Amino acid sequence: MADFGHGGIPHRHGTARPGGAMIRAWMLPQQWPDCHFWLESGQSSAEDFGMPRTRVAVVAFDGIRPFHLSVPCAVFGEAAGDEAPPFELRVCAAEPGGLRTQAGFGIVAQHGLRTLAWADIVVVPSWRDPREPPPEPLLAALRRAHARGALVVGLCLGAFVLAEAGLLDGRRATTHWRWAARFAERYPRVRVDPGVLYVDEGDVLTSAGTAAGIDCCLHVLRHRLGAEAANRVARTLVVPPHRQGSQAQYIEQPVLAAARDTPLTKTLDWATRHLDATHSLDSLAARAAMSRRSFTRHFRQHTGTTVGQWLLAQRLALAQRLLETTAQPIERIAERAGFGTALSMRQHFGTALHTTPSLYRREFRGG
């Protein structure tokens, strides 16, 4: 028997982090000749750590892609630093029996749909076919979880499952861009935004495809635990710590993001270190020694967003970190983050985060 640790690398011995998921592989020739996996999750209770933990249920189904399942397990199963894991994670089978993956191995989950009644957060990481209606027991369990106040998250094609359950009626939502037109046609009561990474509607979230699910889950973690905790998990996973939900799903020539020695990336690095200064498209283009038109094109290719949106995201992220980790007055933080005044920062917090700087600090620092 081999234990698979973080990143899917096998170890001869080892245990999963408390609250995370352990994957054990063994051969079962009776059903499939391929490798099967047993998912053990949520083995330690929250009381073991002397603190309540947020309970997360991740729905697995027959025909799931392993990457889709791994996304919420990696984000919510990862300890944010040296502290005890803040989430208790359980993988739940949407259907009885073993579940086959599209990668040729099977999954046996310890938990079923009843566990959705236990969870504070329910994640549907995808769906096997947008043309196939999800089973009614899954839809009913999602409706009950949402009705009692659980946060329900649909990643990638999981948005189809949430829409089929009626949880997205009258709301904004997104899904993988390849299926956005079909989604809009099938669910006319949902306001589909096909060009963004994720949409936060308060008690329901949806994300675009594949890697956008990581951004969405980190967004949930950020709101629950703060920017620093989300940044630590992101660093462990070696992914960007924060991308705004409004960022474009598809970025042309994404290889540019890895280039750290271009005039554009040097300018962006400089801007993030000087957010207290006034910046504009023209001033940044001049610093990069590029024309306004060329800078705009390359900036969009590199970030998938506009200069104004990028600057706002950087300023909000800095303000969040300072509110969480310092006792500086809100007026000083507003200056350091480039908002100018506390009033301006409060307005931007209200629009983007649905809270005020004072409430944000009180929630995450007890101040």
Side-chain angles (χ1 to χ4, degrees):
M1 181 181 293
D3 290 348
F4 282 70
H6 181 72
I9 300 175
H11 304 280
R12 293 184 180 274
H13 304 284
T15 57
R17 294 180 176 90
M22 176 184 287
I23 302 179
R24 292 181 175 173
W26 75 98
M27 300 302 294
L28 284 181
Q30 295 90 339
Q31 293 179 325
W32 302 298
D34 300 308
C35 189
H36 289 242
F37 292 87
W38 180 276
L39 296 183
E40 300 182 54
S41 54
Q43 298 300 302
S44 300
S45 66
E47 290 75 11
D48 293 340
F49 300 94
M51 59 176 289
R53 291 194 288 163
T54 300
R55 295 169 292 190
V56 181
V58 180
V59 177
F61 49 85
D62 195 51
I64 195 170
R65 292 183 182 274
F67 179 82
H68 290 151
L69 180 59
S70 74
V71 166
C73 292
V75 173
F76 297 117
E78 184 67 49
D82 297 329
E83 302 85 1
F87 298 98
E88 187 174 356
L89 181 79
R90 295 183 181 178
V91 177
C92 311
E95 299 147 306
L99 307 175
R100 294 163 296 185
T101 72
Q102 295 190 19
F105 60 82
I107 294 173
V108 180
Q110 283 188 310
H111 307 284
L113 289 177
R114 290 183 179 180
T115 300
L116 270 62
W118 158 91
D120 303 306
I121 301 174
V122 177
V123 182
V124 183
S126 187
W127 185 238
R128 55 178 167 251
D129 189 341
R131 294 158 294 201
E132 177 187 343
E136 182 56 37
L138 171 58
L139 300 178
L142 289 171
R143 295 187 193 106
R144 290 192 297 268
H146 180 260
R148 64 172 175 77
L151 174 67
V152 182
V153 182
L155 307 178
C156 194
L157 298 185
F160 280 79
V161 181
L162 271 59
E164 192 69 26
L167 303 184
L168 300 179
D169 289 353
R171 299 170 179 257
R172 286 180 63 241
T174 192
T175 189
H176 195 293
W177 62 270
R178 287 186 182 274
W179 296 95
R182 179 183 290 271
F183 185 91
E185 180 180 356
R186 184 167 180 174
Y187 305 108
R189 299 182 64 182
V190 182
R191 303 194 305 274
V192 183
D193 190 341
V196 298
L197 292 178
Y198 54 86
V199 173
D200 184 348
E201 284 287 290
D203 56 353
V204 176
L205 285 85
T206 52
S207 86
T210 319
I214 300 176
D215 297 297
C216 184
C217 290
L218 285 172
H219 172 76
V220 173
L221 192 154
R222 178 179 293 268
H223 273 260
R224 293 273 173 160
L225 302 179
E228 281 300 305
N231 290 347
R232 288 196 295 268
V233 171
R235 284 195 295 269
T236 301
L237 299 179
V238 197
V239 297
H242 184 54
R243 293 198 294 172
Q244 289 290 101
S246 58
Q247 183 167 320
Q249 287 193 30
Y250 179 73
I251 303 175
E252 293 184 7
Q253 300 178 359
V255 70
L256 289 175
R260 304 303 300 171
D261 57 352
T262 67
L264 174 63
T265 55
K266 288 181 179 179
T267 298
L268 299 188
D269 288 342
W270 175 86
T272 58
R273 297 192 303 271
H274 298 84
L275 290 173
D276 57 335
T278 300
H279 302 297
S280 67
L281 172 59
D282 289 330
S283 67
L284 293 177
R287 184 171 188 87
M290 300 169 68
S291 69
R292 177 189 176 97
R293 180 176 180 180
S294 178
F295 184 87
T296 300
R297 183 178 71 255
H298 284 87
F299 187 93
R300 186 77 184 190
Q301 290 173 343
H302 180 76
T303 67
T305 187
T306 66
V307 170
Q309 290 172 334
W310 181 85
L311 281 171
L312 176 59
Q314 300 304 310
R315 286 176 167 141
L316 284 170
L318 175 58
Q320 287 176 284
R321 291 195 297 273
L322 294 174
L323 287 168
E324 294 170 26
T325 60
T326 76
Q328 294 181 18
I330 289 177
E331 291 76 10
R332 175 56 180 151
I333 291 176
E335 294 174 358
R336 288 188 59 184
F339 290 106
T341 66
L343 175 61
S344 175
M345 185 168 75
R346 185 162 56 247
Q347 291 173 336
H348 284 295
F349 260 65
T351 301
L353 305 175
H354 309 292
T355 188
T356 67
S358 297
L359 289 175
Y360 186 91
R361 167 173 274 172
R362 186 177 306 133
E363 179 178 359
F364 291 110
R365 301 193 70 237

